[in-house]
Amino acid sequence: DTGVSQNPRHKITKRGQNVTFRCDPISEHNRLYWYRQTLGQGPEFLTYFQNEAQLEKSRLLSDRFSAERPKGSFSTLEIQRTEQGDSAMYLCASSSGPGTSVPTYEQYFGPGTRLTVT
Amino acid sequence: GQNIDQPTEMTATEGAIVQINCTYQTSGFNGLFWYQQHAGEAPTFLSYNVLDGLEEKGRFSSFLSRSKGYSYLLLKELQMKDSASYLCAVTSTGNTDKLIFGTGTRLQVFP
């Protein structure tokens, strides 16, 4: 396994359009996280899945944001009616928590999807 | 609430040693992480401390004092490729192990 992958790497969209990002975690990892990072800041937590269950959502995640992990493997993050303030790098991370063969809790990040809303 | 402070920028010379400090306040503490992030790239894991003391890993070491809410990352024998942002992050007690990051310290290494 080569690590966490994310698609697309870059997305430019017009204000008001919907966008969807995909994250494929490391295969044996049961925990998946979405973060958002803007220039000069550290990543901010958005949401967390353990297997297919979404167990926590940040207050940063408005109603326009929705995330899924339907089979406990890949995850999607959708932003509806995008706004210019949504422009950021969206990072996905995964880790192996309880229930896996080797729980480590270190989070491994994907390369991110850079969203630009014009 | 949770608050993490680290210097915004630091500079150092190739071959030198640099210490990047991080102080944190959290409602519950379950571990502290250091990540390295090169411009335009994803953060990569450097170290994890959950008990007090020093963890050494090659040229990088990380120290934690839970009573003081303090950590540092020590980089020895600096190389040009060490120019990057260094992110301090904590996890709090609970189920998610979500990372709460500081703003990061941008380190520039000069020849």
Side-chain angles (χ1 to χ4, degrees):
Chain A
D1 190 287
T2 57
V4 179
S5 62
Q6 292 186 247
N7 288 289
R9 294 291 306 276
H10 303 273
K11 179 70 177 179
I12 300 174
T13 191
K14 293 184 178 180
R15 186 164 50 96
Q17 297 295 304
N18 300 342
V19 294
T20 300
F21 309 141
R22 177 178 169 127
C23 170
D24 287 89
I26 293 172
S27 58
E28 61 267 26
H29 286 183
N30 62 345
R31 295 183 163 195
L32 187 146
Y33 307 78
W34 285 98
Y35 294 86
R36 179 172 66 188
Q37 186 176 26
T38 53
L39 197 62
Q41 301 296 314
E44 295 174 297
F45 170 77
L46 293 179
T47 190
Y48 158 73
F49 290 85
Q50 179 156 316
N51 299 310
E52 66 277 6
Q54 186 175 22
L55 297 185
E56 186 171 347
K57 291 172 61 173
S58 164
R59 284 170 290 185
L60 293 173
L61 220 61
S62 75
D63 291 344
R64 297 183 296 106
F65 287 71
S66 63
E68 295 182 342
R69 194 182 183 198
K71 297 181 180 179
S73 56
F74 73 93
S75 176
T76 58
L77 177 69
E78 181 183 16
I79 309 174
Q80 296 182 326
R81 304 181 303 281
T82 52
E83 301 172 357
Q84 287 186 323
D86 297 331
S87 295
M89 175 76 86
Y90 289 83
L91 294 164
C92 175
S94 69
S95 69
S96 56
T100 61
S101 57
V102 186
T104 62
Y105 303 103
E106 299 157 13
Q107 292 184 27
Y108 294 85
F109 283 82
T113 295
R114 181 168 296 283
L115 174 66
T116 303
V117 182
T118 61
Chain B
Q2 291 159 320
N3 190 46
I4 299 167
D5 287 314
Q6 49 183 132
T8 305
E9 289 190 1
M10 298 183 70
T11 60
T13 306
E14 198 174 14
I17 299 173
V18 71
Q19 177 175 313
I20 303 174
N21 296 324
C22 171
T23 58
Y24 64 89
Q25 294 174 318
T26 181
S27 53
F29 178 80
N30 205 31
L32 187 142
F33 293 78
W34 284 96
Y35 280 80
Q36 180 191 60
Q37 186 175 30
H38 286 98
E41 298 182 11
T44 55
F45 170 79
L46 290 178
S47 67
Y48 170 58
N49 295 69
V50 65
L51 300 176
D52 289 352
L54 187 68
E55 295 278 343
E56 296 187 79
K57 192 185 291 186
R59 294 189 299 114
F60 293 2
S61 303
S62 57
F63 171 83
L64 175 67
S65 168
R66 289 173 296 171
S67 63
K68 295 182 180 178
Y70 168 69
S71 173
Y72 67 74
L73 180 69
L74 193 70
L75 292 76
K76 303 176 185 176
E77 301 169 15
L78 281 173
Q79 302 174 10
M80 298 295 290
K81 67 178 183 179
D82 297 329
S83 293
S85 287
Y86 291 85
L87 301 163
C88 174
V90 298
T91 59
S92 57
T93 52
N95 296 326
T96 69
D97 288 325
K98 66 184 178 188
L99 292 170
I100 308 299
F101 284 91
T103 56
T105 298
R106 185 179 172 191
L107 173 67
Q108 287 189 293
V109 180
F110 293 99

